Amino acid sequence: MPDDLDPSRPDEASRESELLERVAQLETALRSRPAIEQAKGMIMVVHRCDDEQAFRVLIAVSQSCNRKLREVAAEIVAALPVDKPLPPDIAVALDNEVRRLQAGNAAH
């Protein structure tokens, strides 16, 4: 069967659409990365934890608040240097996750 008649082969328009969507997702991830890294660094310094622990805290806060990780990171980066209050949902979730982290560290 010729390739152009194979029903399992996606058509070019569909393939191009999928590729464009993937490119957009990757561009968003690249733009988000600096804020995520900065937020991790801030959490590491303020709460004396390592890179992996800080990232787990960010993920947990994101999930707890039902907000994208990049949004949580951007809020932290914007708030901490100028001592601006975090949005209440992020502040509560961050406090809870840091307490959980510290309790886990104390147990070791």
Side-chain angles (χ1 to χ4, degrees):
M1 177 182 298
D3 281 345
D4 59 342
L5 298 177
D6 184 354
S8 65
R9 182 175 171 212
D11 66 346
E12 289 301 313
S14 174
R15 177 89 174 119
E16 183 178 348
S17 176
E18 289 173 11
L19 289 174
L20 289 173
E21 184 177 329
R22 181 70 175 144
V23 166
Q25 290 172 347
L26 291 170
E27 287 174 344
T28 299
L30 284 173
R31 282 192 307 273
S32 303
R33 194 74 187 161
I36 292 169
E37 291 300 319
Q38 287 177 327
K40 279 179 14 186
M42 291 173 168
I43 291 170
M44 290 167 60
V45 168
V46 171
H47 300 291
R48 301 174 200 249
C49 61
D50 65 27
D51 181 73
E52 184 179 326
Q53 291 170 322
F55 191 58
R56 284 195 313 245
V57 165
L58 277 176
I59 290 170
V61 170
S62 169
Q63 291 171 345
S64 176
C65 296
N66 197 28
R67 293 173 71 169
K68 294 188 182 291
L69 181 65
R70 67 178 176 261
E71 292 173 12
V72 170
E75 291 283 0
I76 290 171
V77 169
L80 289 183
V82 293
D83 201 27
K84 177 180 121 183
L86 288 167
D89 61 334
I90 293 176
V92 168
L94 183 59
D95 187 48
N96 290 339
E97 290 309 316
V98 167
R99 283 188 184 147
R100 190 171 295 138
L101 172 69
Q102 291 169 342
N105 286 344
H108 292 128

